[in-house]
Amino acid sequence: MQWKALFLAAAAIPQQVSAQYATAAMMRFQCSRLVVDRIDPLVSPGLIRSPHIHQVVGGNSFNATMEPVAYDLPSESTCTTCSFSEDFSNYWTANLYFRARNGTYKRVKQMVNLGLQGDEGMTIYYIPPYDGHTTVTAFKPGFRMLVGDAMLRTAQGQQKQLCHRCFTNVNQSPFGGAPCADPQMDTAALPNKQCAGGIRATITFPTCWDGKNLDTADHKSHVAYPEGGSFEMSSPCPSTHPVRLPQVMYEVMWDTREFNDPSIWPEDGSQPFVYSMNDSTGYGWHGDYMFGWQGDALQRALDARCSNDKCSQLKTQTPAQATACKKQQLIQEDIDGWLTELPNETM
């Protein structure tokens, strides 16, 4: 999401918060690709061949076994792919693939979002309430969460603010309203047409915490959405989850441009993209989060209401330093060539 879009998006949200949204401060920064691998320490801990392949960004201590609480990401990591060098968190999603007319698959790479620099990966947001004064509590060491359901194939049961936006050009013009709030541009399903400017896929996490559990068996029950409204409107958290968290949001800019050749699309014109868990609907879009900021760095930045990828409270690194941080695949698989099948277990 472009920073200037805060002003353009006001019409897409309730009138009473338009002015607040237009001046909202939010951290928006690049986290480049760390690895593309078939491991998932949240859903499939210890399994050295998770059900589907993921793209991962953040600290290089990411591995298949990251014991809750005991595994300290900042001390275990030696580098991070994120702009803020004190952020050793891990952020990961499924990969998107193009399925050609001949039945072969190719991974869709990510392009870096407008105004940022790096190598693939995703744009990360930490957003305090738009009103400019309500405070939030930074996540605690060991905190983890998951949003979305990899097995979902219909709109029913999908969590809030998971969506796709089809852009007609790489300048993202027209930009549209706030993410997942513009019915003219956003769809829960994958777009059913060619997108000359790529597909932006958005993941937004719940913003209320029970204040006790750093994780739960389903990786979801310890967090909740505000009651009777939304985070954007500074709606209160439910009594069961009273601690207000910052809103974490991912934007993945899928670079579909190389696949906009009608001759390789299915002959019936159907939508040819599929997520790595064999989901061609897009309803199974999901994201995983594992907190790993160093010390109180995130709380300081939130209290200061830092904006974009510059913050007086935080240390930053150059794009070259961030992209130099890489991790070898545990499961050696071709991630850039044409494949005869998806790199996953049958789902």
Side-chain angles (χ1 to χ4, degrees):
M1 184 172 60
Q2 293 172 268
W3 180 244
K4 67 178 182 180
L6 294 175
F7 298 90
L8 302 177
I13 58 177
Q15 192 69 35
Q16 63 266 37
V17 295
S18 294
Q20 295 172 340
Y21 187 75
T23 58
M26 57 182 70
M27 297 166 64
R28 172 188 185 267
F29 57 95
Q30 167 71 12
C31 287
S32 293
R33 187 181 87 189
L34 176 70
V35 68
V36 174
D37 210 348
R38 207 191 308 189
I39 57 174
D40 188 340
L42 194 62
V43 176
S44 307
L47 187 63
I48 312 297
R49 191 175 287 274
S50 63
H52 58 272
I53 203 164
H54 301 90
Q55 59 133 351
V56 185
V57 305
N60 70 337
S61 65
F62 185 82
N63 65 76
T65 304
M66 301 171 77
E67 186 180 350
V69 182
Y71 195 85
D72 181 60
L73 279 69
S75 62
E76 296 288 345
S77 298
T78 58
C79 66
T80 177
T81 69
C82 297
S83 300
F84 292 118
S85 58
E86 294 165 282
D87 183 11
F88 298 98
S89 306
N90 285 122
Y91 315 85
W92 66 101
T93 74
N95 280 270
L96 187 67
Y97 285 82
F98 174 77
R99 181 170 51 208
R101 182 176 297 187
N102 65 6
T104 58
Y105 297 85
K106 190 173 184 182
R107 184 178 72 91
V108 181
K109 295 182 179 180
Q110 306 95 51
M111 51 185 157
V112 178
N113 217 334
L114 294 178
L116 301 173
Q117 297 179 58
D119 173 31
E120 295 197 67
M122 61 183 90
T123 313
I124 303 298
Y125 291 77
Y126 285 85
I127 311 173
Y130 296 150
D131 61 12
H133 59 82
T134 299
T135 59
V136 290
T137 300
F139 306 97
K140 304 301 180 186
F143 187 92
R144 304 156 180 224
M145 61 179 167
L146 164 72
V147 68
D149 182 348
M151 303 304 295
L152 200 64
R153 298 295 180 267
T154 65
Q156 185 175 3
Q158 191 177 43
Q159 288 181 263
K160 296 180 180 180
Q161 295 174 298
L162 303 173
C163 69
H164 303 85
R165 182 171 295 188
C166 178
F167 283 113
T168 58
N169 57 74
V170 294
N171 295 320
Q172 303 179 17
S173 178
F175 182 80
C180 306
D182 190 329
Q184 301 301 314
M185 298 186 71
D186 294 321
T187 56
L190 281 161
N192 60 1
K193 58 185 178 182
Q194 291 191 359
C195 303
I199 299 170
R200 187 187 73 195
T202 299
I203 289 172
T204 312
F205 287 85
T207 55
C208 299
W209 177 43
D210 65 12
K212 303 173 184 176
N213 297 293
L214 298 173
D215 195 8
T216 45
D218 62 358
H219 313 296
K220 295 181 177 182
S221 298
H222 58 313
V223 291
Y225 296 97
E227 59 181 7
S230 68
F231 174 85
E232 292 83 0
M233 297 172 64
S234 299
S235 299
C237 285
S239 59
T240 54
H241 296 73
V243 181
R244 194 188 299 266
L245 301 169
Q247 187 177 65
V248 175
M249 184 170 75
Y250 304 169
E251 285 182 343
V252 182
M253 306 298 299
W254 298 115
D255 192 355
T256 59
R257 292 174 295 175
E258 70 171 293
F259 307 109
N260 283 340
D261 177 359
S263 70
I264 61 174
W265 275 49
E267 291 186 89
D268 63 3
S270 59
Q271 193 284 116
F273 293 100
V274 55
Y275 279 116
S276 52
M277 58 280 189
N278 200 22
D279 174 23
S280 59
T281 68
Y283 294 122
W285 179 230
H286 61 287
D288 302 72
Y289 174 75
M290 193 174 291
F291 174 79
W293 283 79
Q294 201 165 43
D296 65 346
L298 179 59
Q299 188 66 63
R300 295 197 316 269
L302 292 168
D303 291 345
R305 275 185 149 70
C306 292
S307 291
N308 295 314
D309 59 348
K310 301 292 188 294
C311 177
S312 62
Q313 299 294 317
L314 299 176
K315 299 175 184 177
T316 59
Q317 60 181 348
T318 66
Q321 290 172 315
T323 57
C325 185
K326 298 293 184 186
K327 190 172 182 66
Q328 293 294 316
Q329 283 183 313
L330 284 176
I331 306 298
Q332 295 298 314
E333 295 179 294
D334 183 3
I335 63 169
D336 289 322
W338 286 94
L339 309 174
T340 57
E341 60 184 6
L342 288 173
N344 67 9
E345 304 301 317
T346 302
M347 295 189 74

